[in-house]
Amino acid sequence: MDIELFIEALFGILQWKPLLMIFAGVAGGILIGSLPGLTATMGVALLVPFTFGLPFNESIGMLLGIFSGSVYGGSISAILINTPGTPAAAATLLDGYPLSQKGEAGRALSMSVFASFVGGFTGALIMTFLSPQISQLALEFSAAEYFGLATFGLSIIISVSGKSILKGIMVGFLGLLISTIGMDPVSGYPRFTFGSMNLFEGPAFIPTLIGLFAFAEVFKGVEQLTTTKQVVSKISSVFPSLSDIKRTWKDMAKSSVMGTFIGSIPGAGSDIAAFVGYSEAKRRSKNPEKFGTGQIEGVAAAESANNACSGGAMIPMLSLGVPGDAVTAILLGAFVIQGIQPGPMLYKEDLDVVYSVFSAMLVANVAMLIVGFLGVRFFARAITVRKSILLPAIFIMSIVGAYSMRNNMFDVWLALGFGVLGYFLQRYRFPVSPILLALILGPMAEANLRRALIIADNSMIDVLSRPITAIFLILGLVTLIMSILRQRKAHD
Amino acid sequence: MIKSFRKLTSMSLILVMMSAAYSHVQAADFPSKRVTMICPWAAGGGTDTFLRGLARNTEPFLGQTITINNKTGGSGAIGHAAGVRARSDGYTVTMVTFDILTLPPQGFVPFTYKDYDLLMRVNMDPAAITVPIDAPYNTIEEFVAYAKANPGKIKVGHAGPGTAWHLAGSIFAEKVGIDLAYVPYNGAAPAVTALAGKHIQAVSVSPAEVRGQVEGGTVKILAVMSDERVSGFSEVPTMKEEGYDVSFGTWRGLAVPNSTPDDAKKILHDAFKKGMETDAFKRFAADSGLGVSYMSAEDWEKDLSTSAVSVANTMKNLGLVR
């Protein structure tokens, strides 16, 4: 680490023009993230062409601003309307929405901003100081290890199942079944598509998410339109209270580090990190049964984990030229067009560029903290809007969101169908999150197991005996057994 | 009430007729409104990048703005289908990709490239065989010898079942008579990552997609499947130079629905050709690692009629035809 060069790069970012671009990017990113159907990937992809003409510091500031802002932005709609704005915020709503229903939307939002900052900044710091060391991890992961990670992730279904593990597992398997719709990952055979090309790639993820959460919420809301009282939301301060920070700092620290590592593994994204962080906070907690009813730790753990992922995903992109997720894949393209080829050579030849990226990432997270706090009061007001106005607004935005993902009307019908499913699941007290986990992790587990088997000449023993894979599988098994035993005990 | 309804009907009838007459006039001074381009692949990918760059540089020659509509999904089937179904007035241009050859044999779409009127091919990226830097072979000849001695032991990563890079490995193996195993990844990038981590023994993707790893010294390209050496990789021999008659790659081109008026097609063709030839676009494509390669509609049609057959045959051998 060349401290002198780093400080020089930092001052290069702290000029008014790059700063302006970072703040604009963060504000735009928060907006994109908070709208279900608009994702960080789309935001960055559509803005990349506009940054070609800009100097490097300004363009990278803007893009990283959007990247950082949108991950936080997703939590706003998760907390306020029970709909994750981005898949990464799916774990945030588990406790965020109950909090806002208790009239503590402000508390949840300010904690979300703060936790996002802690996670994002930690991720950026780890990226700044440990990139070359961590990047090797990305290359260690072969198909077999991804299979292990995905299977371990599926065991988290237990911790997001709420009161009944049995119901959680039932819904989880329903999700796995849905995740088999679409082309077979090896032979390309279309499964359960009924000849419709709209289903070749499975049910599109964002419309499914919008259906299960946003539409289901609207249907539920319509039913209760005349019976429920308006939630009164009082905001005493836009900052999280000291006691909340004291309660959650350990969870945030743990989630931040775990999130960065998960982010640095290509293909494992912020959605997975958030669930892992949430599950770990619940496991560690003295009263895990209260999770899901509005525990501030749940929001803090999920939000710090998913924001930490951004820094993590940048690590293999910069030091190996291997993108960590969809957003960094687009950033990689943007770098190449600017004449910069990420990879090991970048660290040898253009260290100043690397340091500029580090600086921009650190500054973007500070900008997110400022913009986020400024916005808390404004966002929280959304929940005080009369239901007869709020629900139609959510409904229309959800239709637009489902359509805009692929510009396809089929996806709107798909979302409405999943809305009906989500409504009945909630009505009969089934948890909805397990479907989501299964949809994210099912295809990952399946494709990687089959990939691993091809590589190992169809020897299952060879696949399962790889050390990292074995550790993940054992961890998953332990999680499963422990939670079942714990629930038994609680019943006795 | 009825009277006013009648009035309304006749009024709207007149309006419809007027607009019909107007649109007839339009054909003479095409294009008189913005042109939409369908991209069958997601924003940020190679096809989208190429299309946006081309559209930006073509607008001045077309005299109209171009909007890009990413209609994605179904391995490109949805965008290609939308392009076939679009109104044949020249205001909807589709960037068709190699996949229009692989979708019909798989039974995924009820149409072929013949349901399009081709304008021109704009891009071609050859496949290449790339291996880890410390692999026990330094030339494609040694690679083939190793594969012959160890049938099925070389695992070749590609971008997914039925993609161009899946066929590339198979066409090569078929021609030289070796037995390779194919590992599908979700796109080229994860396959290249697996190669850099030495989990697989080769990838059959384009040189541009491995450029970062080549420069970083983790992988080496043995040979490219093009007729001439690829700019930027001039030290890498072609398959033909090494004595293997293999030429294969992916391509992108522009097309409009059948029965689009000829004058509109000509105007579109000329504008996009000029856009392709601008220095700004050439520089942009080179920076993005995308090969610019023009082919006229006639030559392209000829090329497709032969490659459609060979692609279908290879897919049959891979068990992808239904």
Side-chain angles (χ1 to χ4, degrees):
Chain A
M1 185 99 209
D2 187 338
I3 295 295
E4 211 168 297
L5 196 62
F6 177 71
I7 291 174
E8 201 178 299
L10 185 63
F11 278 106
I13 291 291
L14 292 174
Q15 305 292 322
W16 72 270
K17 267 185 183 166
L19 271 180
L20 187 74
M21 295 308 258
I22 289 177
F23 272 89
V26 164
I30 291 178
L31 189 70
I32 288 169
S34 67
L35 295 171
L38 293 182
T39 61
T41 318
M42 278 165 88
V44 173
L46 294 177
L47 260 176
V48 160
F50 294 101
T51 58
F52 289 159
L54 294 174
F56 182 73
N57 276 356
E58 292 168 32
S59 73
I60 197 65
M62 176 125 205
L63 294 171
L64 291 180
I66 298 173
F67 189 18
S68 307
S70 60
V71 181
Y72 158 66
S75 76
I76 298 171
S77 43
I79 290 169
L80 297 179
I81 58 173
N82 204 19
T83 302
T86 58
T92 310
L93 64 82
L94 292 169
D95 281 283
Y97 184 64
L99 274 170
S100 75
Q101 287 302 294
K102 284 194 242 169
E104 294 180 356
R107 183 177 166 220
L109 282 171
S110 57
M111 178 45 88
S112 170
V113 181
F114 186 68
S116 294
F117 164 74
V118 170
F121 201 76
T122 311
L125 277 179
I126 295 178
M127 166 174 113
T128 306
F129 292 104
L130 294 172
S131 269
Q133 290 82 352
I134 293 176
S135 66
Q136 288 311 311
L137 186 75
L139 292 183
E140 286 303 313
F141 266 65
S142 79
E145 282 76 22
Y146 282 112
F147 166 68
L149 175 66
T151 313
F152 163 67
L154 283 170
S155 72
I156 292 173
I157 285 180
I158 303 284
S159 37
V160 296
S161 285
K163 288 213 176 63
S164 164
I165 289 184
L166 186 66
K167 278 184 171 170
I169 292 178
M170 283 166 73
V171 173
F173 276 106
L174 175 67
L176 284 176
L177 198 65
I178 295 171
S179 80
T180 62
I181 297 174
M183 261 186 266
D184 179 290
V186 173
S187 75
Y189 189 85
R191 304 181 295 202
F192 309 115
T193 59
F194 302 98
S196 164
M197 63 178 96
N198 292 307
L199 284 172
F200 280 176
E201 285 164 359
F205 187 65
I206 301 290
T208 306
L209 190 86
I210 288 174
L212 282 175
F213 292 96
F215 281 139
E217 195 61 26
V218 171
F219 297 154
K220 199 172 75 188
V222 169
E223 189 180 60
Q224 300 164 345
L225 200 54
T226 49
T227 52
T228 45
K229 265 188 288 170
Q230 192 64 46
V231 177
V232 190
S233 183
K234 260 186 276 170
I235 300 173
S236 46
S237 161
V238 297
F239 304 110
S241 68
L242 264 179
S243 66
D244 274 355
I245 294 176
K246 245 184 219 159
R247 251 174 89 174
T248 55
W249 75 269
K250 273 187 189 157
D251 293 314
M252 285 195 284
K254 218 176 193 175
S255 277
S256 302
V257 175
M258 284 193 306
T260 312
F261 273 94
I262 292 175
S264 73
I265 303 166
S270 44
D271 36 16
I272 299 176
F275 276 110
V276 171
Y278 179 87
S279 162
E280 178 57 23
K282 184 175 173 181
R283 193 191 63 81
R284 202 193 65 82
S285 165
K286 284 194 194 81
N287 30 12
E289 71 284 352
K290 283 203 179 141
F291 272 69
T293 61
Q295 287 288 92
I296 198 78
E297 288 94 332
V299 174
E303 275 307 302
S304 45
N306 64 23
N307 282 277
C309 241
S310 311
M314 295 289 289
I315 293 174
M317 194 274 267
L318 281 177
S319 48
L320 299 173
V322 163
D325 62 4
V327 181
T328 45
I330 294 165
L331 287 178
L332 181 70
F335 274 57
V336 171
I337 285 171
Q338 292 258 5
I340 294 156
Q341 178 70 55
M345 296 310 285
L346 191 64
Y347 280 72
K348 292 192 189 112
E349 287 168 2
D350 300 297
L351 207 55
D352 50 333
V353 170
V354 178
Y355 288 162
S356 298
V357 176
F358 291 164
S359 313
M361 196 76 184
L362 289 166
V363 175
N365 275 288
V366 177
M368 181 185 72
L369 185 74
I370 297 169
V371 178
F373 278 145
L374 288 175
V376 165
R377 247 177 238 282
F378 174 73
F379 298 133
R381 207 175 291 160
I383 202 169
T384 59
V385 173
R386 260 206 345 263
K387 279 244 158 119
S388 55
I389 293 167
L390 186 65
L391 290 177
I394 296 175
F395 191 71
I396 289 166
M397 269 177 19
S398 302
I399 289 176
V400 174
Y403 178 79
S404 65
M405 207 56 212
R406 306 196 295 182
N407 292 336
N408 190 340
M409 197 58 202
F410 176 86
D411 290 342
V412 177
W413 300 116
L414 184 88
L416 281 168
F418 274 107
V420 174
L421 177 70
Y423 166 79
F424 280 107
L425 284 176
Q426 287 193 28
R427 178 161 191 156
Y428 294 104
R429 304 201 179 284
F430 282 90
V432 182
S433 304
I435 295 196
L436 210 61
L437 263 175
L439 286 178
I440 296 167
L441 295 167
M444 184 172 160
E446 188 202 357
N448 281 298
L449 175 61
R450 295 179 62 186
R451 223 168 263 157
L453 282 170
I454 297 176
I455 293 173
D457 290 319
N458 292 321
S459 161
M460 195 61 153
I461 301 288
D462 282 4
V463 173
L464 300 184
S465 62
R466 292 176 68 98
I468 302 178
T469 315
I471 290 172
F472 275 127
L473 292 176
I474 291 168
L475 270 177
L477 207 64
V478 169
T479 313
L480 197 70
I481 294 170
M482 283 215 336
S483 11
I484 291 175
L485 286 181
R486 193 158 50 193
Q487 204 182 33
R488 279 260 170 91
K489 221 165 152 192
H491 271 289
D492 289 342
Chain B
M1 184 69 196
I2 290 173
K3 220 175 192 177
S4 67
F5 180 72
R6 264 201 201 142
K7 219 177 196 171
L8 203 74
T9 339
S10 56
M11 277 286 283
S12 45
L13 234 140
I14 291 168
L15 266 173
V16 167
M17 278 158 70
M18 268 170 66
S19 64
Y22 179 65
S23 73
H24 187 73
V25 175
Q26 264 182 346
D29 46 22
F30 175 89
S32 60
K33 59 177 186 187
R34 73 186 171 158
V35 172
T36 302
M37 294 191 76
I38 295 176
C39 175
W41 299 96
T47 304
D48 179 73
T49 306
F50 195 97
L51 181 52
R52 282 178 199 272
L54 180 60
R56 206 172 40 244
N57 287 294
T58 300
E59 279 172 350
F61 301 109
L62 206 57
Q64 288 292 339
T65 54
I66 298 174
T67 49
I68 287 149
N69 186 356
N70 296 84
K71 276 201 164 306
T72 63
S75 295
I78 289 178
H80 283 109
V84 167
R85 281 198 307 262
R87 199 181 296 202
S88 54
D89 55 4
Y91 288 101
T92 309
V93 181
T94 307
M95 182 162 258
V96 296
T97 62
F98 173 84
D99 311 84
I100 194 146
L101 294 182
T102 60
L103 291 167
Q106 295 184 84
F108 288 172
V109 293
F111 56 84
T112 68
Y113 72 90
K114 287 180 184 149
D115 292 279
Y116 276 107
D117 281 0
L118 306 176
L119 292 178
M120 60 207 254
R121 198 186 75 184
V122 292
N123 146 276
M124 161 88 192
D125 285 313
I129 296 290
T130 307
V131 298
I133 195 83
D134 55 0
Y137 19 79
N138 283 311
T139 64
I140 196 73
E141 204 181 340
E142 289 170 20
F143 177 87
V144 171
Y146 183 91
K148 278 190 174 146
N150 304 281
K153 283 286 162 225
I154 296 182
K155 314 284 191 277
V156 186
H158 61 76
T163 58
W165 303 149
H166 185 191
L167 301 188
S170 169
I171 284 174
F172 168 66
E174 235 172 83
K175 274 268 167 72
V176 303
I178 53 174
D179 182 13
L180 302 171
Y182 307 100
V183 190
Y185 284 86
N186 204 0
V192 176
T193 308
L195 185 74
K198 294 177 193 155
H199 304 300
I200 49 178
Q201 284 74 48
V203 293
S204 50
V205 304
S206 74
E209 282 158 327
V210 293
R211 180 158 71 183
Q213 299 303 323
V214 170
E215 284 173 6
T218 55
V219 304
K220 57 190 176 191
I221 309 178
L222 296 181
V224 290
M225 301 187 196
S226 55
D227 298 339
E228 278 148 35
R229 293 197 176 198
V230 179
S231 75
F233 301 90
S234 52
E235 71 294 347
V236 179
T238 66
M239 287 280 179
K240 282 184 181 157
E241 286 172 40
E242 300 285 294
Y244 304 107
D245 185 21
V246 188
S247 175
F248 184 80
T250 189
W251 45 257
R252 301 176 176 98
L254 303 176
V256 289
N258 276 159
S259 74
T260 302
D262 284 339
D263 47 351
K265 278 194 285 196
K266 185 168 183 326
I267 289 164
L268 286 170
H269 169 273
D270 294 350
F272 279 108
K273 185 147 189 283
K274 278 183 198 145
M276 250 178 99
E277 284 162 356
T278 56
D279 288 337
F281 179 70
K282 281 186 191 152
R283 206 175 327 114
F284 169 82
D287 287 346
S288 322
L290 296 156
V292 180
S293 157
Y294 171 82
M295 192 185 257
S296 71
E298 295 77 48
D299 291 346
W300 189 22
E301 183 114 40
K302 225 176 284 164
D303 183 65
L304 287 183
S305 65
T306 53
S307 54
V309 177
S310 67
V311 162
N313 280 336
T314 307
M315 294 184 74
K316 204 178 272 170
N317 294 340
L318 287 169
L320 289 166
V321 171
R322 272 169 284 280

